Amino acid sequence: MSVPAPNLYPPFNVVRLSHTCLNVSDLDTSRAFYTDTLGLQVTDEEGDRVYLRAMEERGHHCVILQKSDRPGTVEVMGFKVWDEDDLDRAETYFRERGQPTEWVERPYQGRTLLTRDNIGIPLEFYHKMDRLPPIHQQYALYRGVKPLRIDHFNCFSPDVDASVAFYNDFGFRVSEYTEDEESGHLWAAWMHRKGGVHDMAFTNGRGPRMHHVAFWVPTPLNIIDLLDLMATTGFVKNIERGPGRHGISNAFFLYILDPDGHRIEIYCSDYQTLDPDHEPIKWDLKDPQRQTLWGAAAPKSWFEHGSNFVGQETTEAVLKATPIVAP
Amino acid sequence: MSVPAPNLYPPFNVVRLSHTCLNVSDLDTSRAFYTDTLGLQVTDEEGDRVYLRAMEERGHHCVILQKSDRPGTVEVMGFKVWDEDDLDRAETYFRERGQPTEWVERPYQGRTLLTRDNIGIPLEFYHKMDRLPPIHQQYALYRGVKPLRIDHFNCFSPDVDASVAFYNDFGFRVSEYTEDEESGHLWAAWMHRKGGVHDMAFTNGRGPRMHHVAFWVPTPLNIIDLLDLMATTGFVKNIERGPGRHGISNAFFLYILDPDGHRIEIYCSDYQTLDPDHEPIKWDLKDPQRQTLWGAAAPKSWFEHGSNFVGQETTEAVLKATPIVAP
Amino acid sequence: MSVPAPNLYPPFNVVRLSHTCLNVSDLDTSRAFYTDTLGLQVTDEEGDRVYLRAMEERGHHCVILQKSDRPGTVEVMGFKVWDEDDLDRAETYFRERGQPTEWVERPYQGRTLLTRDNIGIPLEFYHKMDRLPPIHQQYALYRGVKPLRIDHFNCFSPDVDASVAFYNDFGFRVSEYTEDEESGHLWAAWMHRKGGVHDMAFTNGRGPRMHHVAFWVPTPLNIIDLLDLMATTGFVKNIERGPGRHGISNAFFLYILDPDGHRIEIYCSDYQTLDPDHEPIKWDLKDPQRQTLWGAAAPKSWFEHGSNFVGQETTEAVLKATPIVAP
Amino acid sequence: MSVPAPNLYPPFNVVRLSHTCLNVSDLDTSRAFYTDTLGLQVTDEEGDRVYLRAMEERGHHCVILQKSDRPGTVEVMGFKVWDEDDLDRAETYFRERGQPTEWVERPYQGRTLLTRDNIGIPLEFYHKMDRLPPIHQQYALYRGVKPLRIDHFNCFSPDVDASVAFYNDFGFRVSEYTEDEESGHLWAAWMHRKGGVHDMAFTNGRGPRMHHVAFWVPTPLNIIDLLDLMATTGFVKNIERGPGRHGISNAFFLYILDPDGHRIEIYCSDYQTLDPDHEPIKWDLKDPQRQTLWGAAAPKSWFEHGSNFVGQETTEAVLKATPIVAP
């Protein structure tokens, strides 16, 4: 079997993905894009950073935009854990596996553990984040694509088998995966903690690099609204792929690029994967309906472009299979 | 505080609500309603029972229709637990609290514990249920309201404070609640295991009785489609309340009655409540936007009509506050 | 037969309804409502008037808000004609039927004929109105309910038979009508020029008064967005009836009241009635699915409340039938 | 100016496009596609023909499928006129311009004039067609993409300037057009009678050939439903282009191919063009947002593939400009 049996009793409890810090070249430009075009809400801004949250979120931030001289890179991917003891258990876990660990100060967050996964993705774990009042019923605030919450991360990994094994060990469960029939290796895998299709996914390619970060919206019509808005406010070149219905996940999707080239997916309508005996769905790399159920191939940029992690070297993928690429 | 602090380390792990068995007078009539009008899929039928699942579900059944000489009653509400040991822990837990417990044989289910909660709602817990192939991408099968999964139960309780305390003890967490300011008692509460607004909710009233069982659908337009279909296929009288946007839960909803008077809610667009530090939202019983954000009051039947549980006496509610009722 | 045979060769060519001038008490309050809440665009403002258009319109205005010491009244209902000669033909037509006619100066409009119909509704006809650049693809401007165009007027008439006969004579064609079976008289009728269900409709009641003016929107989801917005920005009391699917017209609708009590309908999804041999659909006054296909009765206010026309006395309805009214 | 001034007083009154007769290889296969996949309703079937109508139509047919040894060709495009005299006026009009005219017998149609336009497209005009009871509120009948009515034809023309001039002369009005800036000639034009963006459009290319016939649906979500259905019922190869938002017309669209390669467009949300002084919108052939507002180029097949008209030779296009084609 290509994917390991799930670890139903993980060493520490990751609740869900939480946030990411994206490095940008111009804070005003990015701030405008994430608020006016996407519809996130600014919760705080100080110095080089703008903190934002989505419309149903109570945690202080799901995106931090940071002005940097390395725009287009990602600082970290953040995850929330169940309690303070989970942080200590996580620290032990990563340290025992030879990963660097460090306790760091993060504004608006309590105790935070910074570490890296097996391919070098910088991860931070926390239990407490400042909580904000609900705004999900402040309908006058909704704009853009009406983003409700951060949904998942997707990263390029030079060895998806290894990435899946690493995350599986601390409780991430595979919901869907693509296998390269010829080699028997994983091309991609979707793994979750929170009971949807994924919190973290891996796609074969030079890595580690962030492939995209995704936000959940109410309906496909919100995605159409975003396309109409972007196409007529100067962002037609930022539309990369879609809209469409995924084969994998069955979600309705759109991929766009932010002003610094960070890829963002707008996503809705996947399905519930809570059950401990939930069976992963396998796809063959050659299946033309895998990425878009309606058959449209992704553009070459979708397979190649990504955001480096700060201070992290990348490695070419082990697997050299060729997916179907739009000409 | 009106609601107890959540129990973040429950004695056994309930994953989610799973299924209910509804007693009906005519199996053909009910089968047609649940398939042609609602859009559930029959997975098996034998003798007096029809088993159905919703479109993204892999478990064998979310609804069992059972021909009975006590139509309009409910046999049981089913919940899935994380592992087999949870069943034993649950058995001990309920037995120690004076609730009857019994191991029962259920078709298509593994070991199943039958018990009752503090007000007499019959509950069954299982770990294994037959698993079926995914059909969520068999788009030719979708019809009716395109129901994706069972979402929650809502029961009348004569003592909501007591019901909330009981479920809180084994890990159900309150996401929203209505307090009667005058008495300080709970009028209603919404409690979850799976990370949405609720798996189980309680509404003050003569009980125990089932108030409704709910199904999740992709978008509000699916609810409009169901209304159009019901209104023109002889089911206009089965439309009870809605459509509308709830104040509590922020979900878009519709309430209908099945041929035997079981109330069904069609529901979408609530929000994620995974965080252990997720704060419950409190509503006042006098708030006219509580039930329908848009202001429409529920009809009297909505406060009064429910389905009895088989073999279970009901008691009048302790709390006699008066909600706002449509004239 | 209750409705007259259509006049397929009318004496002058009315293209469509065009605009209305609504008297309001506070121009700022109304301006904010029509722009921020509804989503119309201000095209000009001067002195006591604000001119607005909807998103796909090229004509200068579909609504004029006029500050007045008689707020809640309507100045006039405007219609566009095919050419300048039609104005002269119209003038002759109304004058020959004993209606007052007058050439008036209207800002942003060319030659305009002011007259009254048989029950006293003030009508103005024009051929030329200032034309504005298209904004239908300026998606950054869309807000509120995203109104695309003015769709129809509906007026209380004390004698619907007479109103229908009057408008039928100059080419308005009945698409649907409600007959009071007992008396054989018309309770209501929907009449069009532009090929949809109506440009002008009449409802039995004390009149003449405007019952409502309606705007067309892209989808029912836009109507749900408006309800969410109004309910959470202080306008819950302005939501009068709906949302729902009409029996008559099959359109998805919502009725709201503007700050001065003018009733506005938000409307979409009716059907094409272009054919000269298009057969009107007849409904019985006792049919509970007539107004809302889903069965919900309209509130009493819907049958009683309306906007008077400036300087026009009203008369009680001839027909005293009783429709089904929500309790 | 590229487009002629509209003829506001045409020699005969064409109400709207009405129907087309498409030649197919296998009647059962096509019948299934048009009913189960698209959602049209069969009104009659006899011998080699199946007659279908869409859900709000009262006329007997909008599509005739005809078994033929020349599948993939089109027999005729039909239009409805205002009265019987219009047929005689049309006969004179076409005959005086050197076009062949013939009175033909058509089942379910009254007197019918068969002729050809200037490039050889076979046209038939009628006044009477059998009328059927309304089914627009028989919601149990809706399936597939829920098509409401036929919306327009689009044909390849080897000389769009000439086609536009020809149709303009009998009252078709240009709503939008694409000009090749280099040559000053028209690349394409959209012309209407019924007050929407078009009844008939012309696209530069070898012709005459039908480019596509289009059906109007309620919302973009219906188009997404059709894509999901087609993709999972063996029709993924029949999805040619889209979904997307057009620059021209602003409509939300999808192009698919029927089992014989006839191209069908599914279309909604364009705008009203009734006004005699409605100004056509001009696009440049080099504008990448012309076809899809969101920027996606059409595939090569979209520019090249079409359905021949029976017994009609085709000619290469005069204009050799190169549009933007997806690689």
Side-chain angles (χ1 to χ4, degrees):
Chain A
M1 199 176 95
S2 269
V3 292
N7 181 358
L8 299 177
Y9 306 95
F12 56 96
N13 186 347
V14 175
V15 180
R16 59 177 177 90
L17 92 162
S18 168
H19 59 275
T20 183
C21 180
L22 306 174
N23 286 322
V24 303
S25 50
D26 184 274
L27 218 45
D28 287 340
T29 299
S30 297
R31 184 195 195 284
F33 184 80
Y34 281 82
T35 55
D36 298 335
T37 301
L38 287 191
L40 293 174
Q41 300 289 316
V42 172
T43 55
D44 271 286
E45 10 195 359
E46 46 180 52
D48 289 343
R49 295 204 201 96
V50 175
Y51 294 80
L52 305 107
R53 66 157 158 169
M55 297 305 293
E56 68 173 58
E57 293 176 332
R58 312 276 181 90
H60 184 268
H61 49 271
C62 64
V63 171
I64 305 168
L65 301 172
Q66 179 170 257
K67 183 173 162 62
S68 162
D69 53 8
R70 282 175 296 186
T73 63
V74 178
E75 281 289 336
V76 73
M77 292 184 157
F79 292 82
K80 185 178 175 92
V81 297
W82 192 253
D83 59 30
E84 288 291 332
D85 288 348
D86 280 313
L87 288 179
D88 298 305
R89 286 190 282 261
E91 196 277 333
T92 301
Y93 182 87
F94 282 94
R95 184 168 29 78
E96 285 180 347
R97 280 151 186 77
Q99 303 307 322
T101 63
E102 184 187 351
W103 296 103
V104 291
E105 294 291 320
R106 296 292 193 232
Y108 311 106
Q109 289 173 216
R111 211 160 59 110
T112 302
L113 171 71
L114 176 65
T115 184
R116 284 179 184 266
D117 76 1
N118 63 312
I119 62 170
I121 297 173
L123 306 175
E124 66 182 44
F125 296 89
Y126 72 91
H127 170 58
K128 284 201 176 311
M129 177 185 280
D130 283 11
R131 306 290 290 183
L132 299 174
I135 52 169
H136 62 291
Q137 288 184 326
Q138 288 195 31
Y139 280 97
L141 295 181
Y142 283 83
R143 70 194 62 203
V145 76
K146 302 191 182 181
L148 297 178
R149 56 187 186 254
I150 189 169
D151 189 81
H152 62 267
F153 300 126
N154 188 313
C155 292
F156 281 111
S157 168
D159 187 337
V160 176
D161 288 319
S163 289
V164 167
F166 190 83
Y167 282 76
N168 193 74
D169 279 353
F170 58 98
F172 279 70
R173 309 205 296 276
V174 176
S175 59
E176 306 210 24
Y177 63 103
T178 302
E179 191 175 88
D180 170 43
E181 293 291 340
E182 294 182 17
S183 65
H185 286 292
L186 289 176
W187 174 267
W190 287 258
M191 307 184 77
H192 81 92
R193 283 297 296 161
K194 68 185 183 302
V197 167
H198 51 327
D199 286 75
M200 188 67 150
F202 298 99
T203 299
N204 187 72
R206 179 170 59 84
R209 289 181 298 153
M210 176 179 86
H211 188 277
H212 63 265
V213 52
F215 299 94
W216 179 278
V217 297
T219 78
L221 283 193
N222 299 108
I223 289 176
I224 290 167
D225 286 346
L226 178 66
L227 284 156
D228 289 335
L229 180 66
M230 288 181 69
T232 57
T233 52
F235 290 108
V236 71
K237 291 185 158 37
N238 295 64
I239 299 168
E240 187 198 29
R241 173 187 167 203
R245 168 83 62 197
H246 276 316
I248 292 166
S249 80
N250 199 40
F252 190 82
F253 74 89
L254 171 69
Y255 293 98
I256 62 177
L257 300 170
D258 88 350
D260 290 280
H262 292 297
R263 181 183 289 106
I264 292 164
E265 181 180 16
I266 309 297
Y267 180 93
C268 62
S269 302
D270 71 359
Y271 56 86
Q272 190 172 265
T273 61
L274 293 167
D275 292 357
D277 46 354
H278 185 90
E279 319 79 342
I281 295 175
K282 171 181 161 180
W283 296 77
D284 178 40
L285 186 56
K286 301 269 180 280
D287 186 343
Q289 288 188 273
R290 175 183 107 255
Q291 290 194 300
T292 309
L293 192 67
W294 306 338
K300 196 150 172 269
S301 64
W302 199 89
F303 291 97
E304 300 185 347
H305 174 74
S307 301
N308 280 44
F309 289 103
V310 169
Q312 180 62 45
E313 302 274 328
T314 61
T315 320
E316 282 304 323
V318 174
L319 187 54
K320 304 290 183 195
T322 41
I324 302 165
V325 174
Chain B
M1 200 178 93
S2 268
V3 293
N7 181 357
L8 299 178
Y9 307 94
F12 56 97
N13 186 348
V14 175
V15 180
R16 58 178 179 89
L17 91 161
S18 167
H19 61 275
T20 182
C21 180
L22 306 174
N23 287 320
V24 303
S25 50
D26 184 276
L27 217 46
D28 288 339
T29 301
S30 298
R31 185 195 194 285
F33 184 80
Y34 281 82
T35 55
D36 297 335
T37 300
L38 286 192
L40 294 175
Q41 299 289 318
V42 172
T43 55
D44 271 286
E45 8 195 1
E46 48 179 51
D48 288 342
R49 294 203 203 96
V50 175
Y51 293 81
L52 304 108
R53 65 158 160 169
M55 298 304 293
E56 68 173 58
E57 293 176 331
R58 314 277 180 88
H60 184 268
H61 49 270
C62 63
V63 172
I64 305 167
L65 301 172
Q66 178 170 258
K67 183 172 162 62
S68 161
D69 54 9
R70 281 175 296 187
T73 62
V74 178
E75 280 289 337
V76 73
M77 290 183 159
F79 292 81
K80 185 178 175 93
V81 299
W82 192 252
D83 58 32
E84 288 290 334
D85 289 348
D86 280 313
L87 288 180
D88 298 307
R89 287 191 282 262
E91 196 278 333
T92 302
Y93 181 88
F94 282 94
R95 186 169 27 80
E96 286 181 347
R97 280 152 187 75
Q99 302 307 322
T101 64
E102 183 187 352
W103 298 102
V104 292
E105 293 292 319
R106 295 292 193 234
Y108 312 105
Q109 290 173 215
R111 211 162 59 108
T112 302
L113 171 72
L114 177 64
T115 184
R116 284 178 186 267
D117 76 2
N118 62 313
I119 59 170
I121 297 173
L123 307 174
E124 67 183 43
F125 297 89
Y126 72 91
H127 170 59
K128 284 201 176 309
M129 177 185 279
D130 283 11
R131 304 290 289 180
L132 298 174
I135 52 170
H136 62 291
Q137 288 185 326
Q138 288 194 33
Y139 280 97
L141 295 181
Y142 282 84
R143 71 192 62 202
V145 77
K146 303 192 180 180
L148 298 178
R149 56 187 185 254
I150 189 169
D151 188 81
H152 62 265
F153 300 127
N154 188 311
C155 292
F156 281 111
S157 169
D159 187 336
V160 176
D161 289 318
S163 289
V164 167
F166 189 83
Y167 282 76
N168 193 73
D169 279 353
F170 57 98
F172 279 71
R173 309 207 296 276
V174 176
S175 60
E176 307 211 23
Y177 64 103
T178 303
E179 193 176 88
D180 170 43
E181 295 290 341
E182 294 182 17
S183 65
H185 286 292
L186 289 176
W187 175 266
W190 287 258
M191 306 184 79
H192 82 92
R193 283 298 296 161
K194 68 184 182 304
V197 168
H198 50 327
D199 286 74
M200 189 66 150
F202 298 99
T203 299
N204 187 73
R206 180 169 59 83
R209 288 179 299 151
M210 177 178 85
H211 188 276
H212 63 266
V213 54
F215 298 94
W216 180 278
V217 297
T219 78
L221 283 192
N222 300 106
I223 290 176
I224 291 167
D225 286 347
L226 178 65
L227 282 155
D228 289 335
L229 181 65
M230 289 181 67
T232 57
T233 52
F235 290 108
V236 72
K237 289 185 160 35
N238 296 65
I239 299 169
E240 187 198 29
R241 174 187 165 202
R245 169 82 62 197
H246 276 314
I248 292 166
S249 79
N250 199 39
F252 190 80
F253 74 89
L254 171 69
Y255 293 97
I256 61 177
L257 300 170
D258 88 351
D260 290 280
H262 292 297
R263 181 183 290 105
I264 293 164
E265 181 180 17
I266 309 297
Y267 180 94
C268 63
S269 302
D270 71 359
Y271 57 84
Q272 190 172 266
T273 61
L274 294 167
D275 292 357
D277 45 354
H278 184 90
E279 318 81 339
I281 295 175
K282 171 182 162 181
W283 296 78
D284 177 42
L285 186 56
K286 299 268 178 282
D287 187 340
Q289 289 187 275
R290 177 182 106 256
Q291 291 194 300
T292 309
L293 193 67
W294 306 339
K300 197 152 173 272
S301 65
W302 199 89
F303 292 97
E304 300 185 346
H305 175 73
S307 301
N308 279 44
F309 290 102
V310 170
Q312 181 62 44
E313 302 271 328
T314 61
T315 320
E316 283 302 325
V318 173
L319 187 54
K320 303 290 183 198
T322 40
I324 302 165
V325 174
Chain C
M1 199 178 93
S2 268
V3 292
N7 180 357
L8 299 177
Y9 306 95
F12 56 96
N13 186 347
V14 176
V15 179
R16 59 177 178 90
L17 93 161
S18 168
H19 60 274
T20 183
C21 180
L22 305 174
N23 287 321
V24 303
S25 49
D26 184 273
L27 216 47
D28 287 341
T29 301
S30 297
R31 184 195 197 285
F33 185 81
Y34 281 82
T35 55
D36 298 335
T37 301
L38 287 192
L40 293 175
Q41 299 289 316
V42 172
T43 55
D44 271 286
E45 5 195 4
E46 46 179 51
D48 288 343
R49 296 203 202 96
V50 175
Y51 294 80
L52 305 107
R53 66 156 159 170
M55 298 305 293
E56 68 172 60
E57 292 176 333
R58 314 276 180 89
H60 184 270
H61 49 270
C62 63
V63 172
I64 305 167
L65 301 172
Q66 178 170 256
K67 183 175 163 62
S68 163
D69 53 9
R70 281 175 295 187
T73 62
V74 178
E75 280 288 338
V76 73
M77 293 184 157
F79 292 81
K80 185 177 174 94
V81 298
W82 192 252
D83 58 31
E84 288 289 333
D85 289 348
D86 280 313
L87 289 179
D88 298 305
R89 286 190 281 261
E91 195 277 331
T92 302
Y93 181 88
F94 283 94
R95 183 169 29 79
E96 284 180 349
R97 280 152 188 75
Q99 303 306 322
T101 64
E102 182 187 353
W103 297 104
V104 292
E105 292 291 320
R106 295 291 193 233
Y108 313 105
Q109 290 173 215
R111 209 161 59 108
T112 302
L113 172 70
L114 176 65
T115 185
R116 286 181 183 263
D117 76 1
N118 62 312
I119 61 170
I121 298 173
L123 306 174
E124 67 182 42
F125 297 90
Y126 71 91
H127 169 59
K128 284 197 176 314
M129 178 185 279
D130 283 10
R131 305 290 290 181
L132 298 174
I135 52 170
H136 61 292
Q137 289 185 326
Q138 288 196 31
Y139 280 96
L141 295 181
Y142 283 84
R143 71 192 62 204
V145 77
K146 303 193 181 181
L148 297 178
R149 55 186 186 256
I150 188 170
D151 189 79
H152 62 266
F153 300 126
N154 188 313
C155 292
F156 281 111
S157 169
D159 186 336
V160 177
D161 289 317
S163 289
V164 166
F166 190 84
Y167 282 76
N168 192 72
D169 278 353
F170 56 99
F172 280 71
R173 309 206 296 277
V174 176
S175 59
E176 306 210 24
Y177 63 103
T178 302
E179 193 175 85
D180 170 42
E181 294 290 339
E182 294 181 17
S183 65
H185 287 292
L186 289 176
W187 176 265
W190 288 257
M191 306 184 79
H192 82 92
R193 282 298 297 161
K194 67 184 182 305
V197 168
H198 50 326
D199 286 74
M200 189 65 151
F202 298 98
T203 299
N204 187 69
R206 180 169 58 83
R209 289 180 299 152
M210 178 178 84
H211 188 277
H212 63 267
V213 53
F215 299 94
W216 179 277
V217 297
T219 78
L221 284 193
N222 299 107
I223 289 177
I224 291 167
D225 286 347
L226 178 66
L227 283 155
D228 290 335
L229 181 65
M230 288 181 68
T232 58
T233 52
F235 289 108
V236 72
K237 288 185 161 36
N238 296 65
I239 298 168
E240 187 198 29
R241 175 188 165 201
R245 168 83 63 196
H246 276 316
I248 292 165
S249 80
N250 199 39
F252 191 81
F253 73 89
L254 171 70
Y255 293 97
I256 61 176
L257 300 170
D258 89 350
D260 290 279
H262 291 297
R263 181 182 292 104
I264 292 165
E265 180 180 17
I266 310 296
Y267 181 94
C268 62
S269 303
D270 70 359
Y271 57 85
Q272 191 172 265
T273 60
L274 293 167
D275 293 355
D277 47 354
H278 184 90
E279 317 82 340
I281 295 175
K282 171 181 162 183
W283 296 78
D284 178 43
L285 186 56
K286 300 267 178 283
D287 187 341
Q289 289 188 275
R290 176 183 106 257
Q291 290 194 300
T292 309
L293 193 66
W294 308 336
K300 197 150 172 275
S301 64
W302 199 88
F303 291 97
E304 299 186 346
H305 174 73
S307 301
N308 279 42
F309 290 102
V310 170
Q312 180 62 44
E313 303 271 327
T314 61
T315 320
E316 283 303 324
V318 174
L319 186 56
K320 303 289 182 200
T322 40
I324 303 164
V325 174
Chain D
M1 201 177 92
S2 271
V3 293
N7 181 358
L8 299 177
Y9 306 94
F12 56 95
N13 187 348
V14 174
V15 180
R16 59 178 178 90
L17 93 162
S18 168
H19 60 275
T20 183
C21 179
L22 305 175
N23 287 321
V24 304
S25 49
D26 184 273
L27 217 46
D28 286 340
T29 301
S30 298
R31 184 194 196 285
F33 184 81
Y34 281 82
T35 56
D36 298 335
T37 301
L38 287 192
L40 292 175
Q41 299 289 316
V42 172
T43 55
D44 271 287
E45 7 196 0
E46 46 180 50
D48 290 341
R49 295 204 202 95
V50 174
Y51 293 81
L52 306 106
R53 66 157 159 168
M55 298 305 294
E56 68 173 60
E57 293 177 331
R58 313 278 181 87
H60 184 268
H61 49 271
C62 64
V63 172
I64 305 168
L65 302 173
Q66 179 170 256
K67 183 173 162 63
S68 161
D69 54 9
R70 282 176 296 186
T73 63
V74 178
E75 281 288 337
V76 73
M77 292 185 157
F79 293 81
K80 185 177 175 93
V81 298
W82 192 253
D83 58 31
E84 289 290 331
D85 288 348
D86 280 314
L87 289 179
D88 298 305
R89 286 189 283 261
E91 196 277 333
T92 302
Y93 182 87
F94 281 94
R95 184 169 28 79
E96 285 181 347
R97 280 153 186 74
Q99 303 306 323
T101 63
E102 183 187 354
W103 298 103
V104 293
E105 293 292 318
R106 295 292 194 233
Y108 312 106
Q109 290 174 213
R111 212 163 55 110
T112 302
L113 171 71
L114 177 64
T115 184
R116 285 178 184 266
D117 78 359
N118 63 312
I119 61 171
I121 297 173
L123 307 174
E124 67 182 43
F125 296 89
Y126 72 91
H127 169 58
K128 285 200 176 310
M129 178 185 279
D130 283 11
R131 305 290 290 182
L132 298 173
I135 53 169
H136 62 291
Q137 289 185 325
Q138 288 195 32
Y139 280 97
L141 296 180
Y142 282 85
R143 70 193 63 202
V145 77
K146 303 191 181 180
L148 297 178
R149 56 187 186 254
I150 188 170
D151 189 80
H152 62 266
F153 300 127
N154 188 312
C155 293
F156 281 111
S157 168
D159 188 337
V160 175
D161 289 318
S163 289
V164 166
F166 189 84
Y167 283 76
N168 193 75
D169 278 353
F170 57 98
F172 279 71
R173 309 206 296 276
V174 176
S175 60
E176 306 211 22
Y177 63 104
T178 302
E179 192 175 86
D180 170 42
E181 294 289 341
E182 293 182 18
S183 65
H185 286 293
L186 289 175
W187 175 265
W190 287 257
M191 307 185 78
H192 82 92
R193 283 298 296 161
K194 68 184 184 302
V197 168
H198 50 327
D199 287 72
M200 189 67 150
F202 298 98
T203 298
N204 186 69
R206 180 169 58 84
R209 289 180 299 152
M210 176 178 86
H211 188 277
H212 63 266
V213 53
F215 298 95
W216 180 278
V217 297
T219 78
L221 284 193
N222 299 107
I223 289 176
I224 291 167
D225 287 346
L226 178 65
L227 283 156
D228 290 335
L229 181 66
M230 288 181 71
T232 57
T233 52
F235 289 108
V236 71
K237 289 185 158 39
N238 296 63
I239 298 168
E240 187 199 29
R241 173 187 166 203
R245 169 83 63 198
H246 276 315
I248 291 165
S249 80
N250 199 40
F252 191 81
F253 73 90
L254 171 70
Y255 293 97
I256 62 178
L257 300 171
D258 88 350
D260 291 278
H262 291 297
R263 181 183 290 106
I264 291 165
E265 180 180 15
I266 309 297
Y267 180 94
C268 62
S269 301
D270 73 357
Y271 56 86
Q272 191 174 265
T273 61
L274 293 167
D275 292 357
D277 47 352
H278 185 89
E279 318 81 340
I281 295 175
K282 172 181 161 180
W283 297 76
D284 178 42
L285 186 56
K286 299 268 179 284
D287 187 341
Q289 289 187 273
R290 178 182 105 254
Q291 291 193 300
T292 309
L293 193 65
W294 306 337
K300 198 151 172 268
S301 64
W302 199 88
F303 291 97
E304 299 186 347
H305 175 73
S307 301
N308 279 45
F309 291 102
V310 169
Q312 180 62 45
E313 301 273 327
T314 61
T315 320
E316 283 303 324
V318 175
L319 187 55
K320 303 290 183 197
T322 41
I324 302 165
V325 174

